[in-house]
Amino acid sequence: MHNDALAAWHELVRSRNMRGLDALLSDQVVFHSPVVHTPQVGKAVTAQYLRAAFNVFFNDTFRYVRETVAADHAVLEFQVEIDGIGVNGVDMISWDDAGRITAFKVMIRPLKAINLIHQKMAAMLQANQ
């Protein structure tokens, strides 16, 4: 079982520090956003989305509350409060034998949270262009 990628992801989240993100991502990583219709392919665009997400999601209330781990993937349920709205979601992360993330999918509920995240992520991505 190769959990180096998962351990590295947890460290990025714990430290709230994005250093090391690029080394953690496969060159062909695919990112599935809860608010963008098409998958985003490649390290550069995935890193851009994840950096924006760090700024939107990772406040003092962010917590992973459940984790299911297999040999090459994990499902991490999270909770966070943003602008007074409770956000519940799931990060689905897959990795390769080299310990690099190959797929990252985010699902969010409820609808009020999806709308909020869409607004905040769009603003963050626009500001970083």
Side-chain angles (χ1 to χ4, degrees), residues 53-66:
F54 259 66
N55 288 312
V56 171
F57 284 87
F58 295 138
N59 63 38
D60 291 339
T61 68
F62 183 90
R63 300 281 182 271
Y64 281 120
V65 295
R66 187 178 316 171

Side-chain angles (χ1 to χ4, degrees), residues 25 27 29-31 39-51 125:
L25 299 176
D27 289 339
V29 63
V30 178
F31 181 77
Q40 304 299 301
V41 180
K43 183 188 285 194
V45 68
T46 298
Q48 181 181 12
Y49 273 87
L50 289 175
R51 283 187 176 93
L125 289 167

Side-chain angles (χ1 to χ4, degrees), residues 73-124:
H73 65 276
V75 178
L76 309 167
E77 181 183 357
F78 64 84
Q79 294 177 343
V80 64
E81 186 175 310
I82 301 172
D83 292 352
I85 296 174
V87 179
N88 177 239
V90 175
D91 289 336
M92 300 168 66
I93 305 170
S94 298
W95 53 85
D96 60 19
D97 289 338
R100 291 198 178 90
I101 294 175
T102 57
F104 201 112
K105 182 183 288 188
V106 182
M107 297 179 170
I108 296 175
R109 60 167 301 280
L111 180 59
K112 192 173 190 177
I114 292 169
N115 292 333
L116 174 69
I117 296 305
H118 182 256
Q119 174 190 16
K120 291 204 168 280
M121 286 292 294
M124 189 63 62

